Amino acid sequence: NRTEEAEKTYRAALAMSPGNAEAEHLLATLLTGLGRHGEALELFESCLGSFAANPAVRCNYAIALESSGQIDNAIDQFKQALSYHGDFPTALYHLARLEIPRGHLGQAMDLLGRLLGLKPNHYEGLLLFGQTLAHQGQYSKAIAILKTARRLTKETDDIDLVLADITLRCGDVDATIATLEALIKASPDNATAEALLIRARA
C-alpha cells in the first residue's frame, strides 16, 4: 500500500527502459486505483499491443475505462478478454455487474453461473447472483445464495441489509426485524438499517 514509492519505482524502471510494457501496465493499474484515469489510459493504450491475448491486462484496461466513465468501451474490453479466455473470472464478474443496470439480467445470470461454476466461493459473485435473483422475484433462491455468501465474510453489514430487504419484500417481517436488530446491535450508527427497521415495524 505504499503507492508513492511504487509509482516512483515504476517510473524509474521506465526511465531505464522506455516503453517497457510490463512497467507501463503495472503503473497504469496503480494510477487507475489512484483515480488518475487519463494517465492510466494513456499507458494502457501504449502497452496493450505487447500483451497480445492476455485477459488480465485487458480486464485492467476495462476497469480503467469504467472508472473514467467509458462504460460501453469497458464492456467491449471485458468481452474482448472473454474472447481470449472464455472462463476468465474477472471478466465474467465485471461484465455481469455492468450488464445488470442495462437490464440484461439473463445475460448476467449466465455470466455469474459460469463464474460460480469455476469459483463456488467467489463472494462478490455470490452477492451479485443473489441480488439478481431477487430482482427477478426468486426470493427463496436469493436468500439461500446470500446466506452462503454471508458465511464467507466478516463484514456482514451490507449483506444483512440486502437479506433484510428481501425478507421484508417476502412478507417475513419477523426475520427482517431479527436481522436488523442484530445488525444495529453490532453497528449502532447504521442509519440505513434503522430506517429499514422502522419500515418493517410499521
Side-chain angles (χ1 to χ4, degrees):
N1 293 321
R2 289 150 57 187
T3 55
E4 289 184 12
E5 186 175 342
E7 181 179 351
K8 288 178 183 177
T9 303
Y10 293 142
R11 293 197 183 280
L14 286 170
M16 290 186 288
S17 178
N20 182 292
E22 186 58 32
E24 286 183 333
H25 168 231
L26 293 171
L27 178 56
T29 303
L30 174 69
L31 293 174
T32 300
L34 295 174
R36 291 158 62 184
H37 305 127
E39 295 173 79
L41 290 173
E42 185 175 339
L43 285 163
F44 273 122
E45 286 155 12
S46 172
C47 72
L48 272 176
S50 300
F51 287 98
N54 185 315
V57 176
R58 191 66 60 169
C59 283
N60 287 337
Y61 177 43
I63 290 167
L65 286 167
E66 182 193 355
S67 298
S68 69
Q70 299 182 52
I71 306 301
D72 289 341
N73 287 340
I75 288 172
D76 288 342
Q77 292 302 317
F78 285 125
K79 288 179 177 178
Q80 187 72 40
L82 288 176
S83 77
Y84 297 151
H85 190 305
D87 288 321
F88 194 69
T90 302
L92 290 169
Y93 170 71
H94 285 289
L95 186 54
R97 182 177 57 78
L98 291 176
E99 291 291 6
I100 289 169
R102 293 152 60 98
H104 301 161
L105 298 185
Q107 187 174 343
M109 293 285 283
D110 175 68
L111 292 162
L112 291 169
R114 288 160 59 189
L115 169 63
L116 295 172
L118 294 167
K119 293 181 170 290
N121 290 332
H122 191 290
Y123 171 74
E124 292 85 359
L126 285 166
L127 180 57
L128 193 59
F129 191 46
Q131 291 173 312
T132 306
L133 285 167
H135 286 318
Q136 295 180 317
Q138 300 184 56
Y139 297 126
S140 60
K141 290 182 181 179
I143 290 168
I145 290 290
L146 291 167
K147 285 183 176 179
T148 298
R150 193 185 188 282
R151 292 193 287 270
L152 300 175
T153 182
K154 295 179 181 179
E155 302 297 327
T156 59
D157 286 11
D158 289 343
I159 201 163
D160 281 344
L161 280 172
V162 175
L163 280 166
D165 179 65
I166 293 171
T167 53
L168 185 58
R169 279 190 270 168
C170 290
D172 191 345
V173 176
D174 290 342
T176 301
I177 290 173
T179 299
L180 292 170
E181 286 179 341
L183 193 163
I184 291 166
K185 183 176 180 180
S187 303
D189 297 327
N190 193 315
T192 305
E194 289 278 7
L196 191 55
L197 183 58
I198 291 169
R199 277 179 52 204
R201 287 174 169 164

